[in-house]
Amino acid sequence: MELSASHVNLKPLNLKLFLVWPLLISIFVSHGVGFECPVATTSRFDCCPEQIKTQEICEKRGCCWNPVKDSRAPDCFYPTDYATYSTTEVDVTKYGYRAMLSRQTTTYYSKDIMQLQMDVLFETDSRLHFKIFDPANARFEVPIETPKFTTKSSSPAYDVRFGMKPFSFLVKRNLTQRVLFDTSASTFIFSDQFIEISTFLPSKYLYGLGEHLNPLLLDLNWNTKTLWSRDVGPKEDVNLYSSQPFYMVMEGDGNAHGVLLLNSNAMDVVLQPTPALTYRTIGGILDFYIFLGPSPTEVIQQYTDVIGRPFMPPYWSLGFHLCRYGYHSANKTFDVVEKMRAAKIPQDVQWNDIDSMDRFLDFTVDQQSFAELPTMIENLHQHGQHYVIMLDPAISSTQPKGTYAPFDDGLVDNVFVKNITGQLLRAKVWPGEAVFPDFTNPITHKWWLKQTAKFHEYIKFDGIWNDMNEPSNFGIGSLDGCPFNSTYENPPYLPAVLGGSLISKTICMTAQQNWSMHYNVHSLYGYTETIATHNALAQIRNKRPFVLSRSTFVGSGKYTAHWTGDILSTWKHMYYTVPAILNFNLFGVPMVGADICGFEDNTTEQLCQRWQQLGAFYPFSRNHNSLHSKDQDPTVFSEAMQASTRKALLIRYSLLPYLYTLFHKANRHGYTVARPLFFEFPKDTTTYSIDRQFLWGEALMITPVLEENALSVDAYFPDDVWYDFYTGGKVKTGHVQLPAPMDVINLHVRGGYVIPMQNPALTTTASRTNKFALMVAMSSNLTANGALFWDDGDTIDTFEKNLIIAMKFKAENGTITSQVMHDGYPEATSMVLGSVQVLGVPSKPSTVTANGKLVQFTYNSNMVLNITDMSLPMNKEFSITWT
């Protein structure tokens, strides 16, 4: 039954609950009535997740046994009255509530924690934070920096309720009364190495929980998502490089919310059609944040408020990147650069993989094949281009003493990961026997800076690529073995990790690091390495850092870009890159891309042509492939394919002012850059499952061809005004079959928006000197708005230093005006507006003026007004009028 505050005896110093303005907490009490097994198949919660299921084992656990044919539902499941925790107290605190939880009986896992504490913190009106932990013994908590708050929310968008016997916790949205999180779904277990908690979901529209190879909309049909950083060529249904324990739900009415479980231990997240999900993690605490939105965009803004805003990329990193493992020499690498220049295909950045190293040793160059590398880099810089090197974490430990400073200095500084006995943990990676820096140790960051700075004196790289940082090991655990009798090496519950072991292709779980044993911090390895790399680059170059990391965790987007790893050169994998890129924008990592044309196996010309078109609209755009695959840079293909790639990349370069402005919005305000359609049309449920189209910001829709031999593509246009990017003609809404010739990727502009553009060039260095342009797409009421953020593209913290120019554009009543919001960019006088294209002008004007002076224009049957041959200073407010 539900008890109101009047039924509760309130003690002056130990408030037992429960009316605290403005939040009402209700308390529920229920009592077990026996062995209750009549549970609907879709509402079963697995009672035997870790071993072969038998009726004997199941019933010994006090659970229900009832196999169902042709169903993925569990055969062994919890009864509705399974013994769990009770809520023994709920106290009012300065920031919310504190509950004490107690259980009287043990579970089928050892070392149950019988007494728990739950702190519920009303941090903001749209953010609820709650933690469940052992009050008697400290356990590992993820030590990322989160916001400090000093006052309790005064007008929360949520209510919470506690269940007493058994314990449960419920969060609902005040405005709609929709329940967002409800642990009464199933039992709650908190033992030393097995923590299980379930929640009902308010709808079937679930996203996130990375990193996996899957569609954007997650399958709730008894689907397990395992989170544990792993080096593996991406395949379906396995844990990949990153651990991102965040999800978003579209509630079906246009509202959205997000949930973060800030826990870095190996975990399974089990999805089921109830709809519900179950967390099973094998360590740490339960540290939850719930973000109330209510729009999808606001959810991500609130999420990045907690984990950190994405880094502001250098402008050059938005250009096209080219790499491969297997150039074999600096001269062959440079040959490709020169071919790209000759073909007039844009390229900003050249990379090399580990084949540029001396015997795969970090901070070295192969002096036989890559001796000309410094000369090549100098040439790149002279042409306004940039260069990125690779640094893997594994450091060779077998070089003669005094010949390899990274290892020698690391020994002196005591920066390497140790095994359980305090000796160096040795494994085998690319350089052979190797050790691993402990990036959770601040001393290691100083050592990493020293080695990187010394290497930069020789190789003037502009960015750093952190690969193999799950961390990857070619063997299992350690060359000296791991203590397999330890429950950390062989835990009582093993999540469904690839390889059937936590140490598969990584190091021992009992390895010792500054923050904790590796068992707790494994999935934080890449995260901590990229912090060290980001900060080192900033200090060495005194410019904006660019880091690319394969492994990421919550908050990585503050320091690094990400790519989707060693994907295959197949049409299916090309499709999977779209939901992957959208997911990482949800995770606060908007600078994300995939290896264009695929990494493993040989591409085909048709696949690579379509992939280059799609890749031109990845936020991070790089073509890269493997040692044993044939060359796939654009110049090795036909003239037609080269022309198609040139066309797509020149469009990208023309749109870079818009893309750069989106990254500014991400950096300052937490917006996504590439986003699903439902972000802009949250009440249109048709958009909820679309992951073959995506948006750049609010205004540009990208519809790539993702099927072999296709010359048309199915597209969906939500209810708004849409224009063809190429012709300016309007398109109808709903499902539309679009023509897609081999040299075209379909692009559409949304009415009501102004897109800042710039005449493209073959590098961003050159394009930044060209005139700007505006594409003005009129809404149904003939208005449009837009913005531009601009700075030098390379200096650190230009916004904070006011070394920027920011402006707004507005179109209404036949007039386009600009408004300069900030004017601190020293080179603003060089910014000139040369042309404007207005889509959706109902009739041909008789005159067009710019700042009161007549200017040239054309008008066509698609109702497109083109205004050309202008030279308007953009640091001055302007007005363009047609009548």
Side-chain angles (χ1 to χ4, degrees):
M1 62 178 176
E2 181 173 342
L3 298 183
S4 69
S6 62
H7 292 104
V8 183
N9 182 26
L10 299 180
K11 297 182 180 179
L13 299 179
N14 185 24
L15 300 181
K16 296 289 182 193
L17 202 225
F18 308 52
L19 183 61
V20 179
W21 186 88
L23 182 71
L24 172 66
I25 294 190
S26 300
I27 298 185
F28 296 91
V29 180
S30 63
H31 301 279
V33 293
F35 203 59
E36 296 291 338
C37 286
V39 177
T41 302
T42 57
S43 297
R44 295 180 175 187
F45 289 83
D46 199 345
C47 181
C48 196
E50 79 294 336
Q51 59 180 283
I52 297 173
K53 297 172 175 60
T54 67
Q55 184 172 356
E56 180 182 1
I57 293 172
C58 179
E59 292 179 349
K60 187 175 180 180
R61 293 183 171 188
C63 292
C64 307
W65 177 262
N66 185 10
V68 178
K69 292 183 178 180
D70 303 320
S71 173
R72 297 163 68 180
D75 298 334
C76 179
F77 53 95
Y78 292 109
T80 57
D81 58 349
Y82 195 83
T84 183
Y85 289 89
S86 296
T87 309
T88 58
E89 317 179 3
V90 181
D91 297 336
V92 179
T93 66
K94 182 178 179 181
Y95 300 117
Y97 301 93
R98 173 164 295 165
M100 302 307 296
L101 315 181
S102 176
R103 70 177 307 134
Q104 302 304 312
T105 58
T106 58
T107 69
Y108 48 89
Y109 280 104
S110 60
K111 298 183 181 179
D112 285 292
I113 299 173
M114 307 300 284
Q115 309 292 327
L116 295 172
Q117 180 173 318
M118 181 178 186
D119 288 344
V120 182
L121 309 171
F122 303 97
E123 295 190 345
T124 72
D125 291 351
S126 56
R127 183 176 79 227
L128 176 69
H129 182 195
F130 61 93
K131 302 168 68 170
I132 305 177
F133 55 95
D134 181 354
N137 298 287
R139 296 173 60 84
F140 180 73
E141 300 184 35
V142 178
I144 71 169
E145 185 179 354
T146 54
K148 308 300 180 186
F149 64 100
T150 57
T151 59
K152 176 182 173 182
S153 167
S154 60
S155 301
Y158 44 83
D159 281 347
V160 305
R161 298 183 182 183
F162 286 91
M164 298 298 284
K165 292 185 178 181
F167 159 78
S168 66
F169 185 66
L170 177 150
V171 181
K172 67 177 180 178
R173 186 186 296 280
N174 280 336
L175 188 62
T176 63
Q177 296 298 296
R178 187 179 294 272
V179 174
L180 308 183
F181 197 89
D182 181 3
T183 69
S184 69
S186 185
T187 194
F188 172 38
I189 296 174
F190 199 126
S191 65
D192 184 41
Q193 289 182 264
F194 181 81
I195 306 172
E196 179 178 76
I197 193 166
S198 301
T199 178
F200 290 120
L201 297 171
S203 84
K204 63 181 179 180
Y205 303 114
L206 180 71
Y207 311 88
L209 298 173
E211 180 178 13
H212 301 96
L213 201 67
N214 52 232
L216 180 64
L217 179 62
L218 295 177
D219 177 12
L220 300 189
N221 186 27
W222 307 107
N223 184 16
T224 297
K225 295 299 177 187
T226 302
L227 278 61
W228 184 245
S229 296
R230 176 62 149 79
D231 173 10
V232 60
K235 58 185 72 174
E236 296 168 331
D237 301 321
V238 302
N239 52 297
L240 301 180
Y241 312 104
S242 299
S243 178
Q244 295 284 350
F246 170 79
Y247 72 75
M248 175 186 282
V249 173
M250 290 302 296
E251 297 164 26
D253 57 3
N255 290 328
H257 70 275
V259 176
L260 167 66
L261 172 55
L262 188 54
N263 181 294
S264 58
N265 290 89
M267 73 173 74
D268 284 335
V269 186
V270 182
L271 315 179
Q272 63 186 72
T274 316
L277 65 75
T278 297
Y279 293 98
R280 299 190 192 112
T281 184
I282 60 173
I285 69 167
L286 295 178
D287 190 356
F288 281 103
Y289 289 84
I290 299 183
F291 308 97
L292 273 287
S295 71
T297 292
E298 288 169 307
V299 170
I300 303 307
Q301 289 179 298
Q302 294 154 14
Y303 179 46
T304 55
D305 274 341
V306 170
I307 67 170
R309 301 289 198 216
F311 77 100
M312 186 66 189
Y315 197 89
W316 57 263
S317 69
L318 302 184
F320 179 59
H321 303 239
L322 195 54
C323 184
R324 76 154 299 156
Y325 176 24
Y327 284 126
H328 299 301
S329 72
N331 289 335
K332 289 182 180 178
T333 305
F334 189 54
D335 284 346
V336 174
V337 174
E338 291 190 307
K339 288 177 182 177
M340 290 286 286
R341 292 173 184 169
K344 298 190 182 305
I345 298 174
Q347 183 193 1
D348 260 83
V349 192
Q350 182 60 52
W351 301 48
N352 280 114
D353 208 307
I354 56 173
D355 49 324
S356 68
M357 300 178 183
D358 176 17
R359 294 166 293 146
F360 304 138
L361 303 180
D362 270 0
F363 307 108
T364 68
V365 171
D366 179 352
Q367 292 300 322
Q368 298 299 314
S369 300
F370 283 85
E372 299 300 317
L373 193 57
T375 302
M376 184 194 83
I377 296 171
E378 182 180 4
N379 183 279
L380 289 171
H381 290 163
Q382 289 170 350
H383 284 78
Q385 295 172 295
H386 294 79
Y387 182 72
V388 175
I389 60 157
M390 172 181 280
L391 288 178
D392 289 343
I395 300 296
S396 174
S397 58
T398 59
Q399 304 309 306
K401 186 175 182 179
T403 66
Y404 187 49
F407 179 71
D408 294 339
D409 293 349
L411 280 181
V412 172
D413 294 338
N414 194 27
V415 302
F416 298 120
V417 175
K418 305 293 198 306
N419 63 21
I420 196 171
T421 64
Q423 307 303 309
L424 292 181
L425 186 143
R426 303 178 306 120
K428 184 176 181 181
V429 201
W430 287 112
E433 182 181 308
V435 292
F436 295 87
D438 174 13
F439 290 104
T440 71
N441 187 343
I443 295 173
T444 306
H445 290 226
K446 296 179 181 179
W447 164 84
W448 192 248
L449 169 62
K450 177 182 176 181
Q451 308 307 318
T452 306
K454 184 177 180 181
F455 191 45
H456 191 263
E457 292 174 1
Y458 175 50
I459 299 297
K460 302 299 182 183
F461 51 84
D462 303 291
I464 294 177
W465 177 13
N466 288 155
D467 194 12
M468 305 289 287
N469 56 351
E470 291 73 30
S472 179
N473 173 9
F474 289 170
I476 298 176
S478 164
L479 293 176
D480 301 307
C482 305
F484 290 107
N485 59 343
S486 167
T487 60
Y488 298 111
E489 304 293 353
N490 290 289
Y493 175 77
L494 179 66
V497 295
L498 181 64
S501 170
L502 294 178
I503 62 173
S504 178
K505 290 203 73 174
T506 193
I507 64 177
C508 300
M509 294 299 100
T510 49
Q512 302 299 300
Q513 296 186 238
N514 184 58
W515 279 356
S516 184
M517 73 177 81
H518 196 70
Y519 179 87
N520 290 321
V521 300
H522 167 82
S523 289
L524 294 166
Y525 194 91
Y527 168 78
T528 55
E529 183 194 29
T530 55
I531 296 174
T533 304
H534 176 100
N535 293 339
L537 265 176
Q539 292 184 61
I540 293 164
R541 299 181 68 245
N542 197 29
K543 293 180 180 179
R544 216 173 286 173
F546 176 77
V547 180
L548 181 72
S549 178
R550 190 167 72 177
S551 183
T552 68
F553 187 71
V554 172
S556 284
K558 185 176 179 180
Y559 305 101
T560 185
H562 174 67
W563 93 108
T564 63
D566 299 347
I567 55 174
L568 302 179
S569 295
T570 65
W571 292 89
K572 189 171 187 179
H573 274 215
M574 178 170 65
Y575 151 69
Y576 274 132
T577 67
V578 178
I581 283 161
L582 298 179
N583 264 320
F584 271 88
N585 272 265
L586 267 62
F587 300 148
V589 189
M591 189 62 168
V592 57
D595 287 343
I596 296 172
C597 303
F599 178 77
E600 291 285 3
D601 299 336
N602 290 321
T603 190
T604 65
E605 176 162 325
Q606 182 189 155
L607 173 61
C608 198
Q609 183 168 351
R610 291 302 196 188
W611 211 326
Q612 280 285 169
Q613 292 169 351
L614 168 60
F617 295 92
Y618 292 156
F620 166 61
S621 181
R622 183 186 72 161
N623 179 316
H624 173 54
N625 68 327
S626 70
L627 178 65
H628 302 295
S629 301
K630 66 182 183 181
D631 289 341
Q632 64 182 33
D633 67 84
T635 67
V636 305
F637 296 104
S638 69
E639 289 294 333
M641 192 280 194
Q642 292 183 45
S644 169
T645 299
R646 184 184 308 113
K647 176 181 177 181
L649 287 173
L650 286 173
I651 292 172
R652 176 189 178 88
Y653 275 57
S654 73
L655 289 165
L656 287 184
Y658 176 62
L659 182 62
Y660 192 60
T661 301
L662 292 177
F663 271 104
H664 166 69
K665 291 180 178 180
N667 172 253
R668 300 308 306 177
H669 307 294
Y671 286 89
T672 54
V673 173
R675 65 189 62 162
L677 272 62
F678 69 77
F679 266 58
E680 294 301 313
F681 302 93
K683 292 189 176 182
D684 183 349
T685 56
T686 301
T687 65
Y688 290 7
S689 61
I690 291 176
D691 59 7
R692 291 173 174 265
Q693 298 171 263
F694 61 99
L695 296 166
W696 269 12
E698 304 97 333
L700 184 70
M701 182 189 290
I702 298 100
T703 308
V705 171
L706 301 172
E707 302 290 340
E708 190 172 12
N709 298 324
L711 294 175
S712 64
V713 62
D714 294 324
Y716 179 73
F717 292 92
D719 187 17
D720 209 330
V721 178
W722 296 94
Y723 299 92
D724 185 295
F725 177 86
Y726 302 99
T727 69
K730 285 185 180 180
V731 297
K732 65 180 183 180
T733 58
H735 293 280
V736 179
Q737 188 80 9
L738 298 171
M742 281 300 302
D743 65 338
V744 171
I745 179 171
N746 275 280
L747 305 172
H748 291 85
V749 182
R750 184 179 173 194
Y753 292 90
V754 179
I755 296 181
M757 303 174 67
Q758 194 167 32
N759 295 336
L762 300 185
T763 66
T764 57
T765 302
S767 69
R768 284 177 56 88
T769 67
N770 290 342
K771 286 186 175 182
F772 287 83
L774 297 178
M775 180 176 282
V776 182
M778 290 298 201
S779 67
S780 58
N781 61 1
L782 300 181
T783 62
N785 293 277
L788 172 66
F789 171 86
W790 202 252
D791 58 12
D792 68 8
D794 224 5
T795 298
I796 297 170
D797 293 337
T798 56
F799 183 86
E800 291 79 0
K801 298 170 183 175
N802 196 33
L803 298 175
I804 68 165
I805 185 168
M807 61 192 74
K808 291 182 177 180
F809 308 107
K810 186 174 185 178
E812 62 180 354
N813 301 322
T815 298
I816 303 166
T817 56
S818 70
Q819 181 182 6
V820 177
M821 310 301 293
H822 298 278
D823 186 11
Y825 175 46
E827 304 298 320
T829 55
S830 65
M831 299 172 65
V832 177
L833 180 66
S835 62
V836 173
Q837 186 179 53
V838 189
L839 314 182
V841 178
S843 60
K844 181 178 180 179
S846 57
T847 60
V848 179
T849 61
N851 291 341
K853 296 181 180 180
L854 291 173
V855 293
Q856 296 182 19
F857 72 93
T858 61
Y859 180 85
N860 65 32
S861 59
N862 284 328
M863 297 191 293
V864 176
L865 173 63
N866 283 295
I867 308 168
T868 56
D869 296 329
M870 297 187 297
S871 293
L872 301 181
M874 294 187 72
N875 65 324
K876 306 294 183 182
E877 295 182 354
F878 61 77
S879 176
I880 302 170
T881 301
W882 58 94
T883 57

